[in-house]
């Protein structure tokens, strides 16, 4: 599967050494990922590696094997506090020093999967330059809360919104949990639309079949792009003329609307000439 | 004389039977078992792409066994079109497991 990973058009590929790997296969997975990561062409997808938590017998071996290869990011599971992130970064930086690598290239994605993580998420998201995304792990979080994961996401709704707010306040990305039923496309679309509505910037998949729907939901429509382009263009023209607030088609355009329009153009990779 | 002694010291022999990889497409499975003293290497290699890439497959395995200086080893390899980094990863895993040198895993 690793060798075909890049062909599906995902924005990011997560090579997992944690929950997807049986406890007696950790060595095999680590060596395989280590061998493949810089050899396989993943095309435009960034490559992240989910390592095991440092409290397990596998976490340190994972970091020793993966950090020297400098994937786009290390994804750290069950992150619960800023102190834990500081300890992790210290270990990562020591490995980087040993290999003469900078401390700036590879970033960290903190997974929030426990009630304690949810409580401390703002500290985790805001205190470290290298943390450039946080994610929510729905299954582990519900397990930690001793509740059942339901398709309506009721049990993790507070956590979702708290994590989004922490990410927004920290100006970093925030990725929603996977939708576990690969056969329920309608359910996936509905959940992805909800995730987008409350502020997530992306959503994880567990099967390549889910990529298209998620891209479809998160990609701005042509109409949205056209409208955003017009707003930004007119804003610039009005600003140059010293006008702060103006109207398009009878609707007042002010700073927050311009900010949202700029975000849509950024997503669509469109520049206003 | 010294060279001979050093050579003997550096030689690695499997301590236990070990396995790695799978029978899945694009993967390879390796089985290793120890052989009695001074047996050398007994290699059984097969691949679904033996006709096209067999020589390369054999070369990778022999080079890696040389790298670890493995002897007194019975190795069975069944390949289903694995890429070179996969073959090397699976073999490294099998060798380390056979030497009882796995790190960061449960046995």
């Amino acid at each position: 599967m690793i060798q075909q990973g890049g062909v599906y058009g995902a924005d990011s590929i997560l090579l997992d050494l944690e929950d997807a790997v049986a406890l007696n296969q950790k060595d095999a997975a680590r060596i395989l990922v280590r061998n493949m990561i810089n050899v396989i062409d993943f095309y435009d997808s960034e490559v992240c590696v989910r390592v095991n938590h440092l409290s397990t017998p596998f976490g340190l071996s994972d970091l020793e094997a993966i950090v020297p290869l400098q994937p786009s990011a290390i994804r750290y599971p069950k992150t619960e506090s800023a102190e834990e992130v500081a300890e992790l970064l210290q270990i990562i930086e020591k490995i980087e020093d040993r290999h003469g690598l900078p401390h700036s290239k590879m970033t960290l994605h903190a997974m929030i999967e426990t009630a304690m993580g949810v409580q401390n998420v703002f500290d985790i998201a805001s205190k470290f330059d290298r943390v450039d995304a946080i994610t929510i792990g729905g299954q582990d979080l519900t397990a930690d809360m001793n509740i059942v994961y339901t398709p309506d996401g009721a049990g993790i709704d507070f956590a979702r919104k708290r994590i989004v707010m922490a990410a927004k306040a920290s100006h970093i990305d925030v990725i929603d949990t996977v939708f576990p039923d690969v056969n329920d496309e309608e359910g996936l679309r509905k959940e992805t639309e909800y995730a987008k509505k409350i502020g997530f910037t992306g959503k994880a998949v567990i099967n390549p079949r889910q990529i298209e729907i998620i891209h479809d939901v998160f990609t701005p429509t042509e109409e949205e792009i056209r409208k955003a382009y017009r707003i930004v263009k007119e804003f610039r023209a009005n600003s140059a003329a010293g006008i702060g607030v103006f109207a398009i088609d009878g609707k007042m355009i002010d700073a927050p609307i311009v900010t949202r329009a700029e975000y849509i153009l950024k997503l669509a990779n469109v520049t206003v000439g | 004389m010294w060279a001979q002694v050093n050579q003997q010291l550096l030689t690695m022999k499997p301590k236990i039977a070990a396995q790695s990889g799978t029978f899945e497409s694009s993967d390879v499975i390796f089985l290793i078992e120890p052989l009695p003293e001074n047996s050398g290497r007994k290699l059984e290699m097969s691949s679904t792409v033996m006709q096209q890439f067999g020589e390369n497959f054999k070369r990778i395995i022999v080079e890696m066994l040389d790298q670890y200086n493995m002897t007194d080893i019975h190795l069975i390899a069944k390949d289903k079109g694995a890429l070179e980094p996969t073959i090397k990863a699976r073999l490294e895993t099998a060798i380390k497991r056979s030497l009882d040198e796995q790190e960061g895993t449960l046995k």
Side-chain angles (χ1 to χ4, degrees):
Chain A
M1 192 69 184
I2 295 178
Q3 64 198 63
Q4 288 100 20
V7 305
Y8 299 105
D11 297 309
S12 176
I13 291 172
L14 179 69
L15 303 175
D16 191 18
L17 301 179
E18 202 221 8
D19 283 353
V21 179
L23 297 181
N24 62 357
Q25 296 296 324
K26 296 289 185 186
D27 56 339
R30 188 182 306 118
I31 292 171
L32 186 63
V33 166
R34 186 205 67 198
N35 273 17
M36 300 293 264
I37 200 165
N38 286 336
V39 174
I40 301 299
D41 188 350
F42 293 100
Y43 303 101
D44 292 332
S45 304
E46 66 165 26
V47 177
C48 310
V49 179
R50 182 164 71 169
V51 297
N52 288 279
H53 197 275
L54 281 168
S55 63
T56 69
F58 325 118
L60 191 57
S61 297
D62 290 348
L63 291 174
E64 291 284 358
I66 301 304
V67 170
L69 303 171
Q70 298 278 285
S72 299
I74 291 283
R75 185 163 295 192
Y76 194 61
K78 298 177 186 69
T79 313
E80 294 202 314
S81 68
E83 290 74 25
E84 204 176 67
V85 178
E87 185 199 349
L88 171 67
L89 283 173
Q90 212 172 20
I91 291 169
I92 288 174
E93 287 171 5
K94 271 185 189 165
I95 297 170
E96 287 174 334
D97 287 344
R98 255 193 278 127
H99 289 83
L101 295 163
H103 296 175
S104 51
K105 187 172 170 263
M106 190 183 72
T107 63
L108 193 64
H109 296 176
M111 291 196 77
I112 308 299
E113 308 180 274
T114 62
M116 187 59 82
V118 174
Q119 289 304 99
N120 292 326
V121 65
F122 179 63
D123 277 354
I124 294 166
S126 63
K127 284 191 172 169
F128 309 93
D129 288 344
R130 292 188 86 167
V131 176
D132 72 344
I134 47 175
T135 73
I136 175 169
Q139 299 287 353
D140 278 304
L141 181 56
T142 48
D144 188 57
M145 293 166 70
N146 288 323
I147 58 171
V148 177
Y149 185 87
T150 53
D152 66 0
I156 61 167
D157 199 44
F158 170 75
R160 269 194 167 115
K161 289 170 178 168
R162 187 176 170 103
I163 288 167
V164 165
M165 208 54 78
K168 299 295 173 186
S170 311
H171 307 289
I172 63 174
D173 281 332
V174 56
I175 315 296
D176 193 26
T177 189
V178 294
F179 184 76
D181 186 351
V182 291
N183 294 316
D184 182 4
E185 294 189 350
E186 201 183 314
L188 171 65
R189 182 173 290 277
K190 211 171 138 191
E191 187 170 285
T192 308
E193 282 169 350
Y194 181 70
K196 183 186 175 188
K197 199 194 291 180
I198 64 172
F200 280 98
T201 52
K203 186 168 176 66
V205 305
I206 50 166
N207 189 296
R209 281 162 57 194
Q210 298 180 316
I211 295 170
E212 197 181 337
I213 290 175
I214 292 172
H215 272 174
D216 191 42
V217 172
F218 275 100
T219 306
T221 62
E222 257 186 59
E223 197 193 328
E224 284 172 329
I225 296 167
R226 212 173 289 129
K227 196 174 161 191
Y229 188 91
R230 197 174 156 206
I231 288 169
V232 173
K233 196 170 182 183
E234 293 210 15
F235 168 74
R236 288 187 187 169
N238 279 288
S239 293
I243 301 163
V245 179
F246 58 99
I248 291 179
D249 299 334
K251 283 182 188 160
M252 190 186 81
I253 307 296
D254 55 7
I257 292 174
V258 174
T259 303
R260 194 157 58 235
E262 283 171 338
Y263 178 68
I264 287 169
L265 294 181
K266 191 180 151 201
L267 280 182
N269 204 17
V270 170
T271 45
V272 176
Chain B
M1 177 66 182
W2 275 111
Q4 199 180 349
V5 171
N6 283 336
Q7 185 65 33
Q8 279 173 355
L9 283 174
L10 289 170
T11 299
M12 308 283 260
K13 299 169 183 185
K15 291 180 184 163
I16 50 171
Q19 167 184 331
S20 78
T22 69
F23 281 116
E24 284 176 33
S25 181
S26 304
D27 204 351
V28 55
I29 190 162
F30 286 103
L31 296 109
I32 289 177
E33 56 183 9
L35 288 180
E37 194 83 8
N38 300 320
S39 300
R41 292 175 185 168
K42 185 182 167 195
L43 309 180
E44 294 174 46
M45 297 180 269
S46 63
S47 170
T48 51
V49 289
M50 194 57 110
Q51 211 174 332
Q52 299 90 337
F53 302 108
E55 286 308 311
N56 196 43
F57 183 53
K58 287 176 193 167
R59 176 191 58 78
I60 295 166
I61 292 171
V62 170
E63 277 180 7
M64 202 144 185
L65 293 176
D66 287 347
Q67 189 190 322
Y68 281 86
N69 219 359
M70 294 297 289
T71 189
D72 298 339
I73 177 175
H74 179 202
L75 180 137
I76 300 169
K78 289 184 184 293
D79 170 51
K80 288 188 84 175
L83 295 178
E84 183 162 337
T86 309
I87 298 167
K88 285 182 172 173
R90 296 312 197 189
L91 185 51
E92 180 183 337
T93 305
I95 290 171
K96 285 182 173 169
R97 286 177 176 178
S98 77
L99 296 170
D100 207 11
E101 282 181 3
Q102 305 105 299
E103 281 177 4
T105 193
L106 290 194
K107 292 177 190 171

